[in-house]
Amino acid sequence: TCALPILIKGYQTKILSIYDQIRQEEESDFRKRKIHIEETHPEIIGLDKKIGKLCIELSISALKNTDNRESHLHDLKEKIMDLRVKKSELLVSNGFDMEYLNLHYRCNKCRDTGFIGNTKCSCFKQKVVDVYYTGSELKSMLKTHNFDNFKLDYYPSRKSELESISPKKNMEKILSISMSFLKNFETSDENLLFYGSSGTGKTFLSHCITKELIDKGSFVVYRTAEELIRALKDIRFNNNSALEELLIDCDLLIIDDLGTEQLSDFNKAELFNLLNTKLLKQKKMVVSTNLSLESLLKTYAERITSRLFGNFTACKFFGDDIRIKENLSKLK
């Protein structure tokens, strides 16, 4: 489970109003469909009314203790079934769906209430995720930063003397790892470490992964390393437990641009504590950095790098700076 309890406290009223709006819209559509059938095919509405009357009679008869109750109930059920079949046949023969005169639900499990008994429906979590990201900078960015717009053409097919494979082959391999990560997200405890030179697609691919998971109803927290350090200070000095729960218990924490944050003993200690806690709780992460593995070793204490190298699948990005390529293509 992700950090929904904290979020639900802040958004429950808004989410319940969304469900209320959904039910109102569906009821309005249902009334419009019924009026349309009444005007064009009154015989179908006539059958619908007969079915309604027989259903009421069935309910009343079930409560009466009469001698022929079981036989009478059986006859009523048969009549209702026959009328329903006739209604369905008439609807279909006139080009309508069999369910045209039924109230439709966008979630059949909870009937658009958000709850199955006292338990929150799975669609409730999706509503929390949608409400949290609506209007956010990240949501806006993901409209373009997604797998539909991921272009392998930006990566040369020609390999350099420094690498054993071409940037394009390398990127195909990283994409395959990312797709596997997404496919096994619910069952695997894999984490990803994206490292390599600037402008080679690390942040873009992180955004692609984020969008895929958000669309499936997962709760993703995305922070640059600098933003993360500010958040960790807020947790430590202001006792911000809500923020702490958000960072630790989210379905996926993405830390972008590791190495750009201000480095101090305190910041390194807080970063280690966060990484370690998430690993112990088997909460997934994607970390990206422009630093090489050698630079990471020099920059961070061994206890941080041992977590990054030992508990993350390392993916090295290399090739031309895509941002420069894009800017040059716009000038042509």
Side-chain angles (χ1 to χ4, degrees):
T1 58
C2 73
L4 289 180
I6 290 292
L7 289 172
I8 288 169
K9 287 176 187 175
Y11 294 115
Q12 178 134 341
T13 302
K14 190 168 184 178
I15 291 163
L16 292 178
S17 72
I18 290 172
Y19 278 112
D20 188 47
Q21 181 68 30
I22 288 170
R23 291 195 299 274
Q24 287 178 31
E25 288 172 4
E26 290 300 337
E27 286 164 9
S28 175
D29 287 346
F30 169 66
R31 286 192 295 272
K32 288 174 185 174
R33 292 196 300 272
K34 200 164 186 178
I35 290 167
H36 177 64
I37 293 291
E38 266 180 322
E39 292 172 348
T40 56
H41 302 282
E43 69 278 13
I44 298 177
I45 291 296
L47 287 174
D48 203 44
K49 287 178 179 176
K50 284 181 184 177
I51 292 167
K53 285 179 182 177
L54 286 175
C55 285
I56 292 169
E57 187 181 339
L58 181 66
S59 299
I60 294 169
S61 299
L63 298 172
K64 291 181 178 178
N65 192 16
T66 55
D67 293 339
N68 64 341
R69 188 179 73 161
E70 292 305 317
S71 174
H72 182 56
L73 291 175
H74 180 267
D75 289 343
L76 284 173
K77 287 176 183 176
E78 288 289 318
K79 286 179 184 177
I80 291 168
M81 182 65 73
D82 288 343
L83 289 173
R84 281 177 174 162
V85 169
K86 286 180 183 176
K87 187 181 91 169
S88 295
E89 287 174 346
L90 272 174
L91 282 167
V92 172
S93 65
N94 284 286
F96 299 101
D97 187 90
M98 280 195 296
E99 299 295 320
Y100 191 79
L101 277 179
N102 293 336
L103 181 62
H104 298 165
Y105 299 106
R106 295 181 199 179
C107 179
N108 288 313
K109 290 186 286 184
C110 69
R111 298 192 164 198
D112 297 333
T113 63
F115 291 85
I116 302 170
N118 293 322
T119 306
K120 288 184 179 70
C121 183
S122 57
C123 68
F124 196 99
K125 178 182 176 181
Q126 181 66 63
K127 295 285 185 298
V128 175
V129 171
D130 290 344
V131 168
Y132 182 84
Y133 288 105
T134 297
S136 71
E137 185 181 334
L138 181 60
K139 190 82 171 181
S140 174
M141 197 176 294
L142 298 184
K143 289 177 183 176
T144 53
H145 287 204
N146 53 63
F147 282 115
D148 290 339
N149 294 320
F150 196 99
K151 296 176 182 176
L152 279 169
D153 296 343
Y154 283 128
Y155 297 89
S157 300
R158 182 185 68 259
K159 69 176 183 179
S160 70
E161 296 176 3
L162 299 173
E163 305 293 344
S164 59
I165 58 174
S166 70
K168 191 169 188 175
K169 283 286 182 188
N170 180 63
M171 199 62 238
E172 287 172 355
K173 183 180 174 184
I174 292 172
L175 274 176
S176 176
I177 291 169
S178 300
M179 291 302 180
S180 176
F181 175 79
L182 289 167
K183 182 182 177 183
N184 302 310
F185 189 76
E186 297 295 332
T187 55
S188 167
D189 60 355
E190 184 181 24
N191 304 288
L192 299 177
L193 172 63
F194 294 163
Y195 73 98
S197 52
S198 177
T200 49
K202 298 183 296 298
T203 296
F204 194 98
L205 185 54
S206 297
H207 287 165
C208 294
I209 290 169
T210 300
K211 185 177 189 308
E212 288 296 306
L213 291 173
I214 288 175
D215 287 350
K216 291 176 183 175
S218 295
F219 193 78
V220 182
V221 174
Y222 190 102
R223 294 286 186 275
T224 64
E226 191 177 341
E227 290 168 343
L228 181 65
I229 291 300
R230 284 202 298 269
L232 293 175
K233 285 179 178 176
D234 190 11
I235 291 166
R236 186 64 54 224
F237 297 123
N238 298 321
N239 198 26
N240 192 336
S241 58
L243 181 56
E244 185 173 27
E245 184 174 339
L246 200 67
L247 293 177
I248 290 173
D249 291 333
C250 58
D251 292 323
L252 177 68
L253 173 64
I254 295 188
I255 306 171
D256 196 18
D257 272 342
L258 185 71
T260 58
E261 75 280 11
Q262 186 180 5
L263 293 172
S264 67
D265 289 341
F266 172 83
N267 291 350
K268 290 178 184 177
E270 291 301 305
L271 179 61
F272 167 76
N273 288 334
L274 177 68
L275 292 175
N276 201 46
T277 301
K278 288 187 72 69
L279 289 171
L280 289 172
K281 295 186 77 170
Q282 295 186 311
K283 296 293 182 178
K284 299 181 192 67
M285 291 172 278
V286 172
V287 175
S288 74
T289 178
N290 290 339
L291 300 177
S292 65
L293 297 184
E294 294 78 10
S295 295
L296 281 169
L297 282 167
K298 291 175 184 175
T299 306
Y300 295 96
E302 188 271 336
R303 56 182 189 164
I304 289 178
T305 53
S306 68
R307 265 66 177 178
L308 290 174
F309 300 164
N311 299 94
F312 287 69
T313 300
C315 300
K316 182 181 180 181
F317 286 64
F318 56 85
D320 299 335
D321 191 317
I322 293 169
R323 295 189 195 98
I324 294 174
K325 275 191 171 183
E326 286 181 329
N327 289 333
L328 287 173
S329 66
K330 288 174 186 175
L331 294 172
K332 289 180 182 178

